[in-house]
Amino acid sequence: MRRRAFILTALAMGLGRPAFAKGARGLVIHDSPIPVPALDIRDAESKPAGLDLLAGKPVLLNLWASWCMPCIAELPALDRLKPGLEAKGVALVALSLDRSGKIAVANTFARLGIKALDIRTDETRSAAEKLQAPALPVTLLIDRQGREIGRFIGAAEWDGAEASRLLDALASGARLTPDMAPPPVKVGTAP
Amino acid sequence: MRTMLIAILMFLAGLSAPPAEAADPTGVTGRFILTDMNGRTVTDEMYRGKIRLVTFGYTFCPDICPTILNTLSVALDHLGADRAKVETMFISVDPERDSPAHLKEYLNAFPGIMGLTGTPDQVAAAARNFNVRYERSPAEDGDPKAYSMDHTAALFIMDREGNFLARMPHASAPDRVAERVRSYLQPRRGEN
């Protein structure tokens, strides 16, 4: 019986998660919000810095890694976005999935001249699996009840006018609509 | 019609072959001659005695990057001491941009994973032997160097002799991959 319930739940989750359709890109808005599982996020001192500490605030959660070029391409936009976004009451968490944790993050931040983003690492290396992220970058839009209401798959121009409509909706709890999708960032010639 | 005939022939061949040889319905032989990220010429034969975890991909992902190497390195962590019995290989389907030196630098982020590349013909032959397809897809803006590579997203587990054991999707959970590998590490009856 429990097994059956599990299978049904899994099916329901599958149906409620169009984000994971193969080859999905861009803004995906969920039909109904999906609770975000507990994540063991750590700060630069390896102290817990999970989303639970941001309870009550909407969150823009970006998953990235130093080996992912499109992730690196969008980090500066997220860095520029952070102060203004936080003034709107939305927390921005850029979570690195790098194996070497804060060393990789600190090196990347230094290389890119990142000023506002905080070091956040996935030391238990389980975030990609828990959040069902088979590819990076992916940015989750999480409402103030801690539920994922949508996600952007791929890199986006997060500090542009289009993104600000999406982020205003996230801040105010308004419904997301497909026309709020920020333009994707394409990585040009390999560095 | 011809496809169907081939399918029937393959089916009949499968029926008549002894069970041990009929175990692989995918036609994966796993043979290759490539260059590893240290610049050495390597063949599948050289990994005899180790279970192999093999995946195909490329490092210059222009829009989204699969987390398969992350999955593999977490799976290796799950294996603990058993990881010494496993060789994990990432075969580039983009030999033009993935030089051995570049692969080595890229795979710094994933200790324990060996990068393999080769001439376009060598890579094509390796992919064929794993039944992996790949295709160059030009960049939208026409930049000739910013192309992407569409490729089969699968993870192969090969036995100590290099024969096919299993094929898993890229999105497999790391603990499931480790569990599967571990199941093949158990000594079989009649073996030590």
Side-chain angles (χ1 to χ4, degrees), chain A residues 25 67 125 134-136 189-190, chain B residues 60 63 65 67 73 77 106 143:
Chain A
R25 299 276 201 288
W67 43 263
R125 311 188 69 209
L136 297 181
T189 305
Chain B
F60 291 98
D63 56 357
C65 307
T67 48
S73 72
D77 287 347
Y106 186 81
D143 180 344

Side-chain angles (χ1 to χ4, degrees), chain A residues 25-40:
Chain A
R25 299 276 201 288
L27 181 64
V28 177
I29 299 166
H30 303 314
D31 294 336
S32 52
I34 303 164
V36 175
L39 301 171
D40 185 3

Side-chain angles (χ1 to χ4, degrees), chain B residues 35 66 83 111 151 159 162:
Chain B
T35 301
R83 66 182 290 167
H151 60 90
D159 74 7

